[in-house]
Amino acid sequence: MTDVSALPLAPKNPLSIRQLLRAVRNLDAGQEVLRDAGGTVTRIQFGPKWLAPPVVAVFSPSGIRDVLGRNDAAAERCVVHEEVQHLGGDSLFVLRNEPWLPRKRALQPVFTKPNVRNFGGHMSRAAQALCESWPDSGEVDLDVDCRRVTMRSLGRSVLGLDLNDREDVIAEHMHVASAYTADRALRPVRAPRWLPTPARARARAAVVALRSVTADMLQACRADPTLDAPLVHALLAATDPETGRSIADDDIINDLLIFMLAGHDTTATALTYALWVLGHHPDVQDRVAAEVREIGDREITPDDVSRLGYTVQVLHEALRLCPPAAGVGRMAVSDFAVDGYRVQAGTLVLVGIYAVHRDPDAWPNPLEFDPDRFSPEVAKARDRWQFIPFAGGSRSCIGEHFARLETTLALATIIRAMEIKSVDDDFPVEVPFTTVAKGPIRAEVTTRK
Ligand code: HEM
């Protein structure tokens, strides 16, 4: 057992306050700035503790394990989760560890690998509809189109709704709500919540609109148990296996909203980046196309995923280079050890997913796109904590199987039908909350013969 009190604090990051502020607000590449200046566990203090809590940023696989892999309650939800909770109510994403456990027990069965297979049809058909909307030959915007695909498939899978022409409106509401929460969460000093601001009013109105769509669906499912909305019915039927308690309607609405919010931009970014990067690597793209062609012309289903090993490797490599969640935060509620340093209670701990995915000590030629890093033989030798797009430990992503299935079916469906050539050399991003493309991401598409 380590005597935590005897450990030193992590070294203070030597950057100036201005440089630190810029790095922390730049949630992806800023991590590398912090690490290069201060090491893989680095302490940041923006001012007196009563004004801004100390921050420790962690970028090493072993340090990340010490934060996310713990099975005690020392690492809690942080200001990011609190801001989301304030706007969107008690959902699985925001609940503190104790009230979270029964909710997780009730929801987990809905998201198991076998259960998410039921949504495979929506996922493949949304991607097929996209291919049919594309010209035989011409320019498209991968960013806009992948967002539509993921919104359509999420709407159908999560809410049981054909969003049709409402897709863009719903996506805009979600964007307004998440940009507001992220902006507040990332300020070292925040205005009080009671202060009315236009941004707050817009975010509240967006949540009210989203809740109303979700609440209508819940009522419709209560009234008609045969309605084709399996996830809503599953939440209505879900109970905590230990207490037998079901989930209150308001909390079901909160969870449905958070699934839409946590599942949309993230999955869209993974798919957009994968298509863009394939558009620069015709050899890799041909290999994916050849693998998918083996399946034939019919709809691609979850049963086919075992035959799409290389396509999955491409997606892993896309998630490594462009992790849709660039980092996650935790609040230390008691002192604990991270890589031999003491993290004090009251510290905001930032886990740098982006930086560990590009760490030159963990990945040879980290900036190179090379799906063979994820071949079964190479992957076996890897540290579990150096590739964490869905985080890790008990509070890892509940939608992981869902997202993996969706991106695999969509990528396979699109590459089987269309050849992609990326027009732009760069993939610009912004990180309002999760990482999203700063579109347009242009590509020339041509129907495959
Ligand atoms: C490529 C797609 C996705 C990525 C990269 C991703 C990533 C993550 C990460 C890193 C976390 C941990 C966040 C934290 O601890 O603060 C998380 C949590 C979560 N994700 Fe995802 N996610 C994806 C898709 C989805 C989907 C499709 C859903 C739902 C349908 C979803 C629902 C959630 C929820 C509810 C949590 C909170 C889990 C808990 O605290 O128990 N995510 N996700």
mmCIF file of all heavy atoms in Angstrom, residues 221-249:
data_model
loop_
_atom_site.group_PDB
_atom_site.id
_atom_site.type_symbol
_atom_site.label_atom_id
_atom_site.label_comp_id
_atom_site.label_asym_id
_atom_site.label_seq_id
_atom_site.Cartn_x
_atom_site.Cartn_y
_atom_site.Cartn_z
ATOM 1 N N CYS A 221 -45.192 5.897 -26.157
ATOM 2 C CA CYS A 221 -44.800 4.504 -25.888
ATOM 3 C C CYS A 221 -45.581 3.933 -24.709
ATOM 4 O O CYS A 221 -45.927 2.749 -24.694
ATOM 5 C CB CYS A 221 -43.304 4.413 -25.602
ATOM 6 S SG CYS A 221 -42.329 4.587 -27.072
ATOM 7 N N ARG A 222 -45.843 4.774 -23.717
ATOM 8 C CA ARG A 222 -46.668 4.302 -22.590
ATOM 9 C C ARG A 222 -48.061 3.924 -23.093
ATOM 10 O O ARG A 222 -48.622 2.905 -22.694
ATOM 11 C CB ARG A 222 -46.819 5.424 -21.558
ATOM 12 C CG ARG A 222 -45.751 5.432 -20.517
ATOM 13 C CD ARG A 222 -46.280 5.937 -19.171
ATOM 14 N NE ARG A 222 -45.181 6.121 -18.239
ATOM 15 C CZ ARG A 222 -44.576 5.110 -17.618
ATOM 16 N NH1 ARG A 222 -44.953 3.871 -17.812
ATOM 17 N NH2 ARG A 222 -43.583 5.351 -16.789
ATOM 18 N N ALA A 223 -48.588 4.766 -23.991
ATOM 19 C CA ALA A 223 -49.955 4.533 -24.475
ATOM 20 C C ALA A 223 -50.009 3.330 -25.418
ATOM 21 O O ALA A 223 -51.008 2.618 -25.459
ATOM 22 C CB ALA A 223 -50.452 5.785 -25.197
ATOM 23 N N ASP A 224 -48.927 3.103 -26.186
ATOM 24 C CA ASP A 224 -48.960 2.032 -27.193
ATOM 25 C C ASP A 224 -47.695 1.170 -27.093
ATOM 26 O O ASP A 224 -46.652 1.491 -27.664
ATOM 27 C CB ASP A 224 -49.058 2.676 -28.585
ATOM 28 C CG ASP A 224 -49.070 1.622 -29.683
ATOM 29 O OD1 ASP A 224 -49.013 0.409 -29.354
ATOM 30 O OD2 ASP A 224 -49.132 2.013 -30.859
ATOM 31 N N PRO A 225 -47.791 0.063 -26.352
ATOM 32 C CA PRO A 225 -46.602 -0.781 -26.142
ATOM 33 C C PRO A 225 -46.095 -1.419 -27.434
ATOM 34 O O PRO A 225 -44.990 -1.977 -27.442
ATOM 35 C CB PRO A 225 -47.083 -1.859 -25.166
ATOM 36 C CG PRO A 225 -48.409 -1.392 -24.663
ATOM 37 C CD PRO A 225 -48.968 -0.424 -25.652
ATOM 38 N N THR A 226 -46.871 -1.333 -28.521
ATOM 39 C CA THR A 226 -46.400 -1.969 -29.768
ATOM 40 C C THR A 226 -45.609 -0.975 -30.633
ATOM 41 O O THR A 226 -45.089 -1.348 -31.680
ATOM 42 C CB THR A 226 -47.588 -2.501 -30.610
ATOM 43 O OG1 THR A 226 -48.369 -1.362 -31.025
ATOM 44 C CG2 THR A 226 -48.445 -3.479 -29.849
ATOM 45 N N LEU A 227 -45.535 0.284 -30.201
ATOM 46 C CA LEU A 227 -44.823 1.300 -30.984
ATOM 47 C C LEU A 227 -43.361 0.878 -31.175
ATOM 48 O O LEU A 227 -42.738 0.390 -30.233
ATOM 49 C CB LEU A 227 -44.877 2.637 -30.217
ATOM 50 C CG LEU A 227 -44.914 3.888 -31.061
ATOM 51 C CD1 LEU A 227 -46.209 3.965 -31.871
ATOM 52 C CD2 LEU A 227 -44.829 5.114 -30.143
ATOM 53 N N ASP A 228 -42.838 1.081 -32.392
ATOM 54 C CA ASP A 228 -41.499 0.589 -32.696
ATOM 55 C C ASP A 228 -40.422 1.537 -32.148
ATOM 56 O O ASP A 228 -39.820 2.322 -32.881
ATOM 57 C CB ASP A 228 -41.368 0.451 -34.233
ATOM 58 C CG ASP A 228 -40.005 -0.095 -34.609
ATOM 59 O OD1 ASP A 228 -39.316 -0.638 -33.722
ATOM 60 O OD2 ASP A 228 -39.619 0.031 -35.791
ATOM 61 N N ALA A 229 -40.217 1.478 -30.825
ATOM 62 C CA ALA A 229 -39.204 2.319 -30.172
ATOM 63 C C ALA A 229 -38.582 1.477 -29.058
ATOM 64 O O ALA A 229 -38.791 1.732 -27.871
ATOM 65 C CB ALA A 229 -39.847 3.575 -29.608
ATOM 66 N N PRO A 230 -37.793 0.458 -29.434
ATOM 67 C CA PRO A 230 -37.351 -0.528 -28.443
ATOM 68 C C PRO A 230 -36.554 0.058 -27.285
ATOM 69 O O PRO A 230 -36.669 -0.410 -26.159
ATOM 70 C CB PRO A 230 -36.484 -1.503 -29.260
ATOM 71 C CG PRO A 230 -36.310 -0.901 -30.602
ATOM 72 C CD PRO A 230 -37.341 0.152 -30.786
ATOM 73 N N LEU A 231 -35.763 1.113 -27.570
ATOM 74 C CA LEU A 231 -34.951 1.641 -26.475
ATOM 75 C C LEU A 231 -35.813 2.359 -25.427
ATOM 76 O O LEU A 231 -35.606 2.213 -24.220
ATOM 77 C CB LEU A 231 -33.870 2.568 -27.022
ATOM 78 C CG LEU A 231 -32.690 2.740 -26.083
ATOM 79 C CD1 LEU A 231 -31.379 2.651 -26.847
ATOM 80 C CD2 LEU A 231 -32.743 4.041 -25.338
ATOM 81 N N VAL A 232 -36.822 3.092 -25.910
ATOM 82 C CA VAL A 232 -37.723 3.771 -24.955
ATOM 83 C C VAL A 232 -38.477 2.714 -24.140
ATOM 84 O O VAL A 232 -38.571 2.811 -22.905
ATOM 85 C CB VAL A 232 -38.716 4.700 -25.694
ATOM 86 C CG1 VAL A 232 -39.597 5.440 -24.696
ATOM 87 C CG2 VAL A 232 -37.970 5.701 -26.589
ATOM 88 N N HIS A 233 -38.975 1.676 -24.809
ATOM 89 C CA HIS A 233 -39.676 0.608 -24.076
ATOM 90 C C HIS A 233 -38.727 -0.067 -23.077
ATOM 91 O O HIS A 233 -39.122 -0.388 -21.961
ATOM 92 C CB HIS A 233 -40.220 -0.445 -25.049
ATOM 93 C CG HIS A 233 -41.380 0.048 -25.854
ATOM 94 N ND1 HIS A 233 -42.570 0.457 -25.288
ATOM 95 C CD2 HIS A 233 -41.535 0.209 -27.185
ATOM 96 C CE1 HIS A 233 -43.407 0.839 -26.225
ATOM 97 N NE2 HIS A 233 -42.791 0.713 -27.395
ATOM 98 N N ALA A 234 -37.462 -0.240 -23.494
ATOM 99 C CA ALA A 234 -36.503 -0.904 -22.600
ATOM 100 C C ALA A 234 -36.271 -0.052 -21.357
ATOM 101 O O ALA A 234 -36.170 -0.581 -20.242
ATOM 102 C CB ALA A 234 -35.186 -1.147 -23.335
ATOM 103 N N LEU A 235 -36.202 1.279 -21.529
ATOM 104 C CA LEU A 235 -36.000 2.139 -20.358
ATOM 105 C C LEU A 235 -37.230 2.132 -19.458
ATOM 106 O O LEU A 235 -37.129 2.160 -18.232
ATOM 107 C CB LEU A 235 -35.673 3.572 -20.774
ATOM 108 C CG LEU A 235 -34.351 3.804 -21.493
ATOM 109 C CD1 LEU A 235 -34.034 5.285 -21.571
ATOM 110 C CD2 LEU A 235 -33.205 3.105 -20.810
ATOM 111 N N LEU A 236 -38.420 2.068 -20.077
ATOM 112 C CA LEU A 236 -39.650 2.006 -19.277
ATOM 113 C C LEU A 236 -39.691 0.716 -18.459
ATOM 114 O O LEU A 236 -40.185 0.696 -17.331
ATOM 115 C CB LEU A 236 -40.874 2.079 -20.197
ATOM 116 C CG LEU A 236 -41.243 3.481 -20.705
ATOM 117 C CD1 LEU A 236 -42.255 3.389 -21.849
ATOM 118 C CD2 LEU A 236 -41.801 4.329 -19.571
ATOM 119 N N ALA A 237 -39.140 -0.338 -19.047
ATOM 120 C CA ALA A 237 -39.198 -1.643 -18.362
ATOM 121 C C ALA A 237 -37.988 -1.869 -17.453
ATOM 122 O O ALA A 237 -37.987 -2.798 -16.641
ATOM 123 C CB ALA A 237 -39.256 -2.749 -19.411
ATOM 124 N N ALA A 238 -36.944 -1.019 -17.592
ATOM 125 C CA ALA A 238 -35.682 -1.289 -16.879
ATOM 126 C C ALA A 238 -35.863 -1.188 -15.362
ATOM 127 O O ALA A 238 -36.544 -0.287 -14.865
ATOM 128 C CB ALA A 238 -34.615 -0.297 -17.325
ATOM 129 N N THR A 239 -35.246 -2.107 -14.642
ATOM 130 C CA THR A 239 -35.258 -2.026 -13.173
ATOM 131 C C THR A 239 -33.849 -2.314 -12.674
ATOM 132 O O THR A 239 -33.090 -3.034 -13.330
ATOM 133 C CB THR A 239 -36.206 -3.061 -12.536
ATOM 134 O OG1 THR A 239 -35.892 -4.339 -13.085
ATOM 135 C CG2 THR A 239 -37.668 -2.735 -12.767
ATOM 136 N N ASP A 240 -33.542 -1.759 -11.512
ATOM 137 C CA ASP A 240 -32.263 -2.081 -10.888
ATOM 138 C C ASP A 240 -32.352 -3.521 -10.392
ATOM 139 O O ASP A 240 -33.213 -3.837 -9.565
ATOM 140 C CB ASP A 240 -32.047 -1.102 -9.719
ATOM 141 C CG ASP A 240 -30.830 -1.486 -8.885
ATOM 142 O OD1 ASP A 240 -30.171 -2.491 -9.203
ATOM 143 O OD2 ASP A 240 -30.558 -0.758 -7.918
ATOM 144 N N PRO A 241 -31.477 -4.428 -10.891
ATOM 145 C CA PRO A 241 -31.605 -5.840 -10.498
ATOM 146 C C PRO A 241 -31.468 -6.054 -8.994
ATOM 147 O O PRO A 241 -31.949 -7.052 -8.466
ATOM 148 C CB PRO A 241 -30.472 -6.533 -11.265
ATOM 149 C CG PRO A 241 -29.636 -5.466 -11.867
ATOM 150 C CD PRO A 241 -30.410 -4.184 -11.845
ATOM 151 N N GLU A 242 -30.853 -5.115 -8.263
ATOM 152 C CA GLU A 242 -30.715 -5.337 -6.813
ATOM 153 C C GLU A 242 -31.906 -4.843 -6.016
ATOM 154 O O GLU A 242 -32.287 -5.456 -5.024
ATOM 155 C CB GLU A 242 -29.431 -4.673 -6.307
ATOM 156 C CG GLU A 242 -28.258 -5.526 -6.713
ATOM 157 C CD GLU A 242 -26.963 -5.133 -6.050
ATOM 158 O OE1 GLU A 242 -26.958 -4.388 -5.051
ATOM 159 O OE2 GLU A 242 -25.943 -5.607 -6.566
ATOM 160 N N THR A 243 -32.510 -3.728 -6.443
ATOM 161 C CA THR A 243 -33.616 -3.179 -5.645
ATOM 162 C C THR A 243 -34.973 -3.388 -6.315
ATOM 163 O O THR A 243 -36.019 -3.214 -5.689
ATOM 164 C CB THR A 243 -33.436 -1.655 -5.452
ATOM 165 O OG1 THR A 243 -33.487 -1.054 -6.756
ATOM 166 C CG2 THR A 243 -32.132 -1.316 -4.782
ATOM 167 N N GLY A 244 -34.954 -3.715 -7.606
ATOM 168 C CA GLY A 244 -36.213 -3.902 -8.338
ATOM 169 C C GLY A 244 -36.857 -2.575 -8.716
ATOM 170 O O GLY A 244 -37.929 -2.532 -9.312
ATOM 171 N N ARG A 245 -36.192 -1.439 -8.400
ATOM 172 C CA ARG A 245 -36.788 -0.123 -8.691
ATOM 173 C C ARG A 245 -36.694 0.244 -10.157
ATOM 174 O O ARG A 245 -35.682 0.003 -10.797
ATOM 175 C CB ARG A 245 -36.067 0.961 -7.883
ATOM 176 C CG ARG A 245 -36.779 1.219 -6.610
ATOM 177 C CD ARG A 245 -36.500 2.597 -6.036
ATOM 178 N NE ARG A 245 -36.452 2.401 -4.607
ATOM 179 C CZ ARG A 245 -35.410 2.633 -3.862
ATOM 180 N NH1 ARG A 245 -34.321 3.125 -4.366
ATOM 181 N NH2 ARG A 245 -35.452 2.378 -2.575
ATOM 182 N N SER A 246 -37.753 0.849 -10.678
ATOM 183 C CA SER A 246 -37.709 1.301 -12.076
ATOM 184 C C SER A 246 -37.235 2.761 -12.118
ATOM 185 O O SER A 246 -37.021 3.387 -11.092
ATOM 186 C CB SER A 246 -39.078 1.132 -12.722
ATOM 187 O OG SER A 246 -40.043 1.758 -11.921
ATOM 188 N N ILE A 247 -37.111 3.300 -13.346
ATOM 189 C CA ILE A 247 -36.591 4.669 -13.491
ATOM 190 C C ILE A 247 -37.774 5.624 -13.665
ATOM 191 O O ILE A 247 -38.690 5.342 -14.447
ATOM 192 C CB ILE A 247 -35.666 4.766 -14.723
ATOM 193 C CG1 ILE A 247 -34.625 3.632 -14.711
ATOM 194 C CG2 ILE A 247 -34.959 6.108 -14.785
ATOM 195 C CD1 ILE A 247 -33.764 3.561 -15.960
ATOM 196 N N ALA A 248 -37.750 6.759 -12.951
ATOM 197 C CA ALA A 248 -38.850 7.737 -13.043
ATOM 198 C C ALA A 248 -38.888 8.339 -14.448
ATOM 199 O O ALA A 248 -37.850 8.442 -15.107
ATOM 200 C CB ALA A 248 -38.631 8.844 -12.015
ATOM 201 N N ASP A 249 -40.092 8.755 -14.881
ATOM 202 C CA ASP A 249 -40.244 9.292 -16.243
ATOM 203 C C ASP A 249 -39.290 10.451 -16.541
ATOM 204 O O ASP A 249 -38.685 10.508 -17.605
ATOM 205 C CB ASP A 249 -41.691 9.765 -16.477
ATOM 206 C CG ASP A 249 -42.584 8.595 -16.877
ATOM 207 O OD1 ASP A 249 -42.105 7.444 -16.787
ATOM 208 O OD2 ASP A 249 -43.740 8.837 -17.269
#
